[in-house]
Each structure stands twice: as structure tokens, then as C-alpha cells.
Amino acid sequence: MPPTPPEPDLDQLRVAFNRARHASTLTFDQLAERSGVSRQTLINLSQGRHYGDLKTWLKLSAAFGVSLDDLVRPVWDDGSSPEHEYTAELRRARG
């Protein structure tokens, strides 16, 4: 039986967004123009008032020039790296 995935900490999307935006040195206006995501949505993401949807995060990952996995990795970070444990367990279960 395949393992149950860990619960993501969606509150960490704010952290992921802010890290990527600061690393990119893009302003909210520049990021809005580059990603096609409204400035207000970007501000809401940065303050944790909105989680966004998959389409938003795909646009952001393209605008930042990083993979979606790398962008949202903080939702899995709780100090024990459950995404790695889960992936390893899935591989073992598949043979």
C-alpha cells in the first residue's frame, strides 16, 4: 500500500513567495508585468491573505525562473524534510 503524503503547511506559501521575490529583486509591479498576476494578488500572497491557485504558482515559477517544486518547497519544510522521506517511501513501494 502506498504511503500517505504529509500535510503541506500552506501558510509557508507566503514565505516561499517572499523568498523568491526578494531573491529576484523584482518589485510587485515588475513581477505583475512579468507573470501576468495582478499586483494586488501578489501583495495578498506576500502577506498570507491568499494562497493562490495552481495557475498562479505556475506563472510565478516561470516569472522567477525556477521550478514549481523549488518555489513551493517551504510548504514541506518542517525540519525533517518529509518530501524526501515521502518520495523515498514511494520509490520503495513501487519496487
Side-chain angles (χ1 to χ4, degrees):
M1 173 170 240
T4 303
E7 283 295 316
D9 181 358
L10 296 181
D11 291 332
Q12 291 300 309
L13 287 172
R14 174 184 59 82
V15 174
F17 174 82
N18 287 321
R19 282 183 186 162
R21 192 177 74 80
H22 290 293
S24 73
T25 69
L26 294 171
T27 66
F28 284 112
D29 290 326
Q30 292 168 328
L31 183 56
E33 186 175 320
R34 184 180 284 189
S35 68
V37 176
S38 76
R39 183 179 186 278
Q40 188 59 53
T41 296
L42 297 173
I43 290 168
N44 287 338
L45 289 171
S46 76
Q47 295 176 350
R49 290 187 286 194
H50 180 62
Y51 292 142
D53 59 13
L54 179 58
K55 185 176 180 179
T56 298
W57 287 97
L58 288 168
K59 287 180 173 184
L60 291 173
S61 70
F64 290 133
V66 298
S67 72
L68 182 61
D69 285 345
D70 286 340
L71 180 59
V72 300
R73 188 167 315 282
V75 303
W76 303 111
D77 288 346
D78 70 353
S80 64
S81 300
E83 80 279 6
H84 299 299
E85 293 169 16
Y86 176 63
T87 302
E89 196 171 337
L90 274 178
R91 286 187 184 134
R92 284 192 300 273
R94 290 181 184 154

